[in-house]
Amino acid sequence: MTTSDLNTDLYQLTTRVHRHIGFQKIRMGAMLCVLEDTGDWRGRAAAQTFRGFLLEEGIHPQAARQYMKVARRFILELEISKDDLLTISRASMRVLCAAAEVASEENLAELIDLIATLPRPEAMEEIKVRYGYDDRARPQVPEISRPVGKILSDMGELTHLQRAELFSRLGLGTAGVPASHALD
């Protein structure tokens, strides 16, 4: 096997892995949608919020929301085929989120082709031009200040006892700590 053959094999393997990772992100997004919608995430962690649940599970909340947005539109609402899902799974999450905003039964085939064939900058531009997508016009989640965001992220790293200590110092008692851990 030559170096060129090996590099070709590595490139093909890399693209397959990339596609697999993208597919699994969207798949996880669908599962998280169901967990959030049904409330079945409750009791699986000490978290009192879905965001807290995500943090405890080691899933970045912002990334999870992107996966969920894409999955909700393409899998749960438009019910695209597994083949089409695999076709778009290598696209960037930014492109997929923009596409989720404009996707409909009528434009789905064209949108899938666009996502699958164009590089990210060109795909974003086409979504803007063809479908009138404007990411600045979308309602944005209120910004959280950097210090508060850091504290919220760090909360996911605390043990149950550390959370109890924090809540106690904040005058919140044992909020968010299961009774079984409150007396530990």
Side-chain angles (χ1 to χ4, degrees), residues 54-84:
L54 292 171
L55 288 169
E56 284 194 24
E57 293 299 319
I59 304 168
H60 191 277
Q62 184 176 353
R65 288 291 175 196
Q66 290 177 333
Y67 307 159
M68 291 168 68
K69 178 180 186 173
V70 171
R72 186 173 305 280
R73 174 64 77 169
F74 288 110
I75 296 174
L76 302 177
E77 294 171 5
L78 295 174
E79 299 177 354
I80 71 170
S81 69
K82 181 180 178 181
D83 288 341
D84 284 343

Side-chain angles (χ1 to χ4, degrees), residues 97-119:
C97 284
E101 289 283 335
V102 301
S104 67
E105 293 283 344
E106 296 76 29
N107 69 12
L108 188 58
E110 179 183 56
L111 198 54
I112 288 171
D113 186 52
L114 182 151
I115 294 167
T117 58
L118 294 177

Side-chain angles (χ1 to χ4, degrees), residues 15-31 67 70-71 75 80-91 93 96:
T15 59
R16 282 198 309 269
V17 168
H18 186 202
R19 183 177 316 267
H20 177 76
I21 290 169
F23 181 83
Q24 294 303 331
K25 286 178 180 179
I26 299 168
R27 186 171 173 237
M28 182 171 65
M31 290 182 257
Y67 307 159
V70 171
I75 296 174
I80 71 170
S81 69
K82 181 180 178 181
D83 288 341
D84 284 343
L85 190 57
L86 282 168
T87 298
I88 66 172
S89 64
R90 279 191 58 209
M93 200 50 64
L96 292 173

Side-chain angles (χ1 to χ4, degrees), residues 22-175:
F23 181 83
Q24 294 303 331
K25 286 178 180 179
I26 299 168
R27 186 171 173 237
M28 182 171 65
M31 290 182 257
L32 290 172
C33 284
V34 172
L35 283 174
E36 182 181 40
D37 292 350
T38 63
D40 284 346
W41 61 271
R42 295 181 192 283
R44 306 214 183 252
Q48 297 297 308
T49 64
F50 188 68
R51 183 183 194 288
F53 164 76
L54 292 171
L55 288 169
E56 284 194 24
E57 293 299 319
I59 304 168
H60 191 277
Q62 184 176 353
R65 288 291 175 196
Q66 290 177 333
Y67 307 159
M68 291 168 68
K69 178 180 186 173
V70 171
R72 186 173 305 280
R73 174 64 77 169
F74 288 110
I75 296 174
L76 302 177
E77 294 171 5
L78 295 174
E79 299 177 354
I80 71 170
S81 69
K82 181 180 178 181
D83 288 341
D84 284 343
L85 190 57
L86 282 168
T87 298
I88 66 172
S89 64
R90 279 191 58 209
S92 77
M93 200 50 64
R94 182 170 178 225
V95 168
L96 292 173
C97 284
E101 289 283 335
V102 301
S104 67
E105 293 283 344
E106 296 76 29
N107 69 12
L108 188 58
E110 179 183 56
L111 198 54
I112 288 171
D113 186 52
L114 182 151
I115 294 167
T117 58
L118 294 177
R120 188 186 61 77
E122 286 80 1
M124 286 301 294
E125 187 62 28
E126 283 299 312
I127 291 171
K128 288 176 184 178
V129 170
R130 289 187 197 188
Y131 307 107
Y133 174 74
D134 182 5
D135 54 354
R136 294 170 298 170
R138 303 283 171 239
Q140 299 294 319
V141 176
E143 288 288 324
I144 296 176
S145 68
R146 178 170 269 177
V148 171
K150 182 171 178 2
I151 290 169
L152 290 174
S153 291
D154 288 347
M155 285 272 304
E157 300 297 319
L158 297 178
T159 66
H160 294 297
L161 290 176
Q162 291 167 333
R163 283 183 191 192
E165 177 187 358
L166 174 64
F167 291 139
S168 174
R169 296 206 182 246
L170 292 173
L172 301 172
T174 57

